Amino acid sequence: MARRSKRVAKTKSSTKSKIPAKSKLKSAAKPKLAATRKSPRKAISAPRHAPAKAALRQSAPIDLYYWSTPNGWKITIMLEECGLPYNVIPVNISKGDQFKPEFLAIAPNNRMPAIVDPQGPGGRPISVFESGAILQYPGRKTGKFYPTDERARVEVDQWLFWQMGGLGPMAGQANHFRNYAPEPIEYGIKRYTDEVNRLYGVMNKRLADREFLAGRYSIADIACIGWTLSWKRQGQEIDDFPNLKRWQDTIQARPAAKRGLEIRVADAVPVDMHDPSVRAVLFNQRARAG
Ligand SMILES: N[C@@H](CCC(=O)N[C@@H](CS)C(=O)NCC(=O)O)C(=O)O
């Protein structure tokens, strides 16, 4: 199992979809897949993961447009958990791949992740952007981690949307004001650090009497886990949230989740967020013509 954590699906050559081939994305032409944050890893190239039952029906790998961030990990974890084969197509957001027309054609919000499933509904390709919608898609497709029973599904949806509208954006802002603002702005730091603290408290309470956010392990947990792992950068102390900490440990002990969290793209590791050229791409974005 541990060995599989170093593997990522390699780039496939073509798809019949209207979706532009990934080879048109500069950084996707030859994805360099390597290195985790904690420990350097050898380049990884082997494509497939042992097919689970649902994956046996998925003969063509899903294309995952990806950069190793908490939003990206949601999808690598889910695809690993479902045993679906996938190709990783790096979207180097520090260099502007997210603005390339061929990427915008599938992800008009100029944000990764996005997927293209060559075997979508009716056997035709489908693309999906927005990580919450992407998580739901393989959930429906495989019947895994996204229950069909309406009550159980509502439980999952509530916590999934809680992550999409709350934890993710607030943790992102806390991280930004604490670590990336050109000068410290006390008001912004406090506002978002407090809000993340409140959200961690909500999660901690929720997890006091159940193992996972919606009872059973689901896409809600998969959506949240990556965002809570960088608690330090968000100005939090994990020991203040023992149920959250226990939940993190439980998820991280899952081999598939571990594999998903370990998938990195080589270029992502050395990105310097204080480099003016990186900041010019990522920050102060405004509406673009066309
Ligand atoms: N709501 C989006 C957010 C995705 C998002 O913010 N992605 C970031 C990386 S974590 C990105 O692509 N940033 C590119 C940019 O800021 O231009 C989702 O959940 O898919």
Side-chain angles (χ1 to χ4, degrees):
M1 281 303 201
R3 205 172 304 141
R4 285 168 64 199
S5 68
K6 296 180 185 174
R7 297 163 57 182
V8 199
K10 72 182 174 191
T11 310
K12 76 179 181 67
S13 55
S14 70
T15 170
K16 283 183 183 143
S17 75
K18 288 184 188 148
I19 311 309
K22 69 214 138 291
S23 57
K24 288 187 186 161
L25 282 176
K26 194 170 161 250
S27 70
K30 266 235 177 292
K32 281 182 259 157
L33 306 167
T36 65
R37 237 181 335 212
K38 285 179 188 151
S39 56
R41 281 167 197 280
K42 285 183 196 146
I44 36 184
S45 59
R48 297 297 173 96
H49 306 289
K53 230 177 172 184
L56 294 175
R57 291 190 294 272
Q58 180 82 25
S59 52
I62 289 172
D63 284 341
L64 168 60
Y65 292 82
Y66 174 82
W67 199 240
S68 31
T69 73
N71 285 321
W73 297 330
K74 292 175 188 174
I75 315 306
T76 49
I77 295 172
M78 181 62 175
L79 294 173
E80 292 282 347
E81 290 280 16
C82 291
L84 289 166
Y86 63 102
N87 297 314
V88 170
I89 300 164
V91 179
N92 190 335
I93 60 173
S94 71
K95 295 205 171 135
D97 284 356
Q98 68 273 40
F99 295 106
K100 293 188 172 167
E102 55 271 31
F103 180 69
L104 291 174
I106 59 170
N109 192 38
N110 68 264
R111 298 280 188 273
M112 72 88 227
I115 61 164
V116 178
D117 179 2
Q119 292 174 276
R124 284 178 290 110
I126 189 170
S127 64
V128 192
F129 74 98
E130 275 298 316
S131 58
I134 302 172
L135 286 173
Q136 288 172 325
Y137 175 76
R140 285 190 301 266
K141 182 165 186 167
T142 65
K144 292 180 174 182
F145 314 111
Y146 194 35
T148 48
D149 169 75
E150 183 61 9
R151 281 184 191 279
R153 180 161 285 191
V154 166
E155 287 289 298
V156 172
D157 282 345
Q158 288 175 133
W159 288 93
L160 176 65
F161 281 72
W162 178 86
Q163 191 288 321
M164 294 299 298
L167 181 65
M170 296 303 123
Q173 293 300 333
N175 187 37
H176 184 94
F177 277 95
R178 298 183 67 86
N179 303 302
Y180 303 144
E183 70 275 339
I185 302 164
E186 254 336 290
Y187 183 84
I189 292 174
K190 180 160 168 36
R191 174 169 169 77
Y192 292 111
T193 305
D194 283 353
E195 180 61 0
V196 174
N197 189 269
R198 184 189 73 79
L199 291 163
Y200 275 29
V202 170
M203 226 177 156
N204 192 57
K205 206 170 186 181
R206 174 75 180 174
L207 292 167
D209 60 356
R210 72 204 83 208
E211 194 172 14
F212 298 106
L213 289 167
R216 299 180 71 171
Y217 182 59
S218 74
I219 55 174
D221 302 290
I222 293 173
C224 291
I225 181 68
W227 283 100
T228 67
L229 293 176
S230 47
W231 50 268
K232 236 183 225 169
R233 293 179 65 76
Q234 300 159 21
Q236 310 302 322
E237 178 44 70
I238 200 67
D239 290 333
D240 294 344
F241 305 99
N243 305 318
L244 172 51
K245 193 176 174 193
R246 184 259 310 146
W247 167 89
Q248 283 182 337
D249 293 343
T250 306
I251 296 176
Q252 285 182 285
R254 295 179 65 90
K258 198 164 165 334
R259 287 196 301 276
L261 285 164
E262 283 177 349
I263 287 174
R264 296 286 191 271
V265 279
D267 291 349
V269 179
V271 167
D272 175 5
M273 296 296 280
H274 297 282
D275 177 339
S277 69
V278 171
R279 297 178 72 86
V281 172
L282 283 175
F283 302 151
N284 306 113
Q285 295 174 5
R286 289 171 62 86
R288 293 184 172 205

